[in-house]
Amino acid sequence: MAASITFYNSFREYVADGTIDLDSHTFKVMLVSSSYTFSASHTVKGDITNELSTANGYTAGGATLASVTWGHSGATATFDAADTAWTASGGSLTARRAIIYSDTASNDELVASILLDTTPADVTVTDGNTLTLQWNDAGILTIS
């Protein structure tokens, strides 16, 4: 589930000037509640409010993106990762958005915000169930 992805305005500059290195940085994805108001002008993790609390299977700061790749085939370059999942444990998890950021960059620079449901509405997974961010088959980001 990754309904709609929007890249933060600053992401383009961060990639161009080397602040974010898609080849070597560690990227994380965190969950936020519906109280977070998205703004494309946010630049760093510190701009993000209303991250879920450490509880019920979620850890503050989010999950590390696994199997990150940045490569190209012909004229198409792709940034991708393995799907990311949280299993609710001891209660439900309720989130509206997921936020990708560089955990290596000096200020935890932002990459993208993912609206979890197209309506938009909160997504709730109950105890024992899993919330999975399934990245697009073409990758998180494709440049062609």
Side-chain angles (χ1 to χ4, degrees):
M1 161 190 321
S4 175
I5 188 165
T6 304
F7 290 88
Y8 288 97
N9 294 340
S10 56
F11 170 68
R12 294 157 186 80
E13 179 182 346
Y14 291 148
V15 170
D17 72 10
T19 300
I20 290 179
D21 185 337
L22 295 172
D23 276 325
S24 64
H25 280 195
T26 297
F27 295 90
K28 293 187 113 178
V29 59
M30 63 186 207
L31 300 175
V32 296
S33 72
S34 59
S35 298
Y36 166 67
T37 301
F38 171 77
S39 172
S41 65
H42 287 159
T43 59
V44 295
K45 182 180 172 215
D47 293 335
I48 306 301
T49 59
N50 303 99
E51 180 184 7
L52 299 190
S53 300
T54 296
N56 301 340
Y58 182 80
T59 302
T64 301
L65 290 183
S67 304
V68 173
T69 59
W70 171 245
H72 69 85
S73 176
T76 302
T78 304
F79 175 70
D80 201 7
D83 295 343
T84 306
W86 293 268
T87 300
S89 175
S92 296
L93 291 173
T94 300
R96 174 76 52 94
R97 290 181 177 271
I99 310 294
I100 300 173
Y101 65 97
S102 171
D103 193 42
T104 306
S106 60
N107 294 306
D108 294 335
E109 282 77 5
L110 299 175
V111 174
S113 173
I114 299 98
L115 188 59
L116 298 177
D117 188 2
T118 57
T119 49
D122 289 343
V123 172
T124 299
V125 292
T126 55
D127 193 13
N129 291 299
T130 302
L131 169 64
T132 302
L133 292 177
Q134 184 175 10
W135 306 115
N136 187 305
D137 288 342
I140 296 171
L141 169 68
T142 301
I143 302 169
S144 54

